Structure formats: C-alpha cells, structure tokens
Amino acid sequence: MALSSDFINAVDSHDNIMTRIMLKDSMLVDLTLKQFEERLAYAESGMSDLYDDHDGEEFPSDVTRWNGELLDRQMVAVVGNFSKERVAFLRKLVRNIYAQKAEEADQEEFVEQHKPENNVAVAAGVGVAACGTVAAVVGLITSHPVVAVAGVAAVAVGGVIIVKGK
C-alpha cells in the first residue's frame, strides 16, 4: 500500500492531531491493519513526539466486554492520549471485534492480486505455456521432434513470463 500525500504532509509538518486521526481511521478502513502498520512506521520515523505518556487508564482484559462501544470510546481517546499502551490495546480490539471481516478482506485481497486477468503478463505467460504444452504433445504424438522441442521451449518461456509477472 502506498502512503497518501495527505498523510505524508501531516507527518512531515508534525501535525500530531491530523496524524493521529489518520492513523486511527486507517485501523477501520483496512481491518487487516496493514495500512495502519505502514502509516505508523512512517509516523514513528518522522515524529519524535508522536506518542504521549499513558494517562493511566486501565483497559478491560475480559474480551467478552470488548465491543463496538468500547472501540468507539478508545478511538476518541487515542487522539488526545496517543500512548503506546492505548495503540496496542486498539490493535487488539480491532483484531478481536473485526476478526472475521479482517480475514475475509485479507482473502479477497489475495484472490484479487492473483487473478490472471488482473495481470496481463501472467495471463500472457499462461497462454504461451498452454500453447507450448499443446505443441509439445502434438510433436511427440506425430513424431516431429522440432515441434516437440519448440513446444517445450514455449512452456519454459511461458513459465518465465508467469514468474516475472508476479
């Protein structure tokens, strides 16, 4: 994922409030927390004053009490007290409350990234390899070694295209 220019500008201008808001919001935009982790790493590298000392609030350890209402309260609280403890708790809350949705989002992203129609090079490689396979089989069946060798070569080229396309 790429960092947005708005986020980069907030970090680079040391706008703590905007950076914190964008960080917390990214937890709910991408339930896998990949966007959040990428943004947090950038913010930590560019802002020495990103974190606050923890305000002492104790977080419920009983996961049966973890719900949307608690998450909402913590999302508001983290803007004013962006402590490592609160951020760690928010990660746990989001992962717990949205575990199923996060897993589905992760699976959808994986499937989307690996669809041959979404990658022209991979689709072309599959086509070349398929044609090469047919040519190799036809060459072997009809005892035409040149056709068989050309088919095997096409399979190899198709495989290279597929690997390079990913």
Side-chain angles (χ1 to χ4, degrees), residues 109-149:
E109 180 184 344
F110 178 83
V111 167
E112 195 62 32
Q113 287 177 350
H114 292 86
K115 280 184 177 179
E117 63 267 17
N118 291 341
N119 189 325
V120 176
V122 173
V126 168
V128 170
C131 291
T133 302
V134 171
V137 169
V138 168
L140 290 172
I141 292 172
T142 61
S143 298
H144 287 89
V146 173
V147 174
V149 169

Side-chain angles (χ1 to χ4, degrees), residues 29-135:
V29 170
D30 173 20
L31 297 175
T32 67
L33 300 182
K34 291 176 186 172
Q35 183 184 69
F36 171 76
E37 297 299 340
E38 181 181 15
R39 284 181 170 191
L40 184 62
Y42 184 81
E44 286 175 336
S45 71
M47 298 177 74
S48 60
D49 60 344
L50 176 65
Y51 291 105
D52 295 323
D53 291 332
H54 187 60
D55 61 7
E57 179 180 356
E58 292 188 28
F59 307 115
S61 58
D62 179 5
V63 296
T64 62
R65 294 181 46 209
W66 294 5
N67 56 33
E69 185 181 321
L70 176 62
L71 179 62
D72 290 345
R73 283 195 316 266
Q74 290 303 317
M75 285 291 187
V76 171
V78 78
V79 176
N81 181 240
F82 199 87
S83 66
K84 290 183 179 185
E85 294 86 353
R86 190 176 309 279
V87 170
F89 182 64
L90 272 170
R91 280 187 186 108
K92 291 177 190 175
L93 267 177
V94 169
R95 286 184 178 128
N96 181 276
I97 293 171
Y98 295 111
Q100 181 67 33
K101 287 183 181 180
E103 185 177 323
E104 290 169 6
D106 230 1
Q107 289 172 352
E108 287 174 17
E109 180 184 344
F110 178 83
V111 167
E112 195 62 32
Q113 287 177 350
H114 292 86
K115 280 184 177 179
E117 63 267 17
N118 291 341
N119 189 325
V120 176
V122 173
V126 168
V128 170
C131 291
T133 302
V134 171

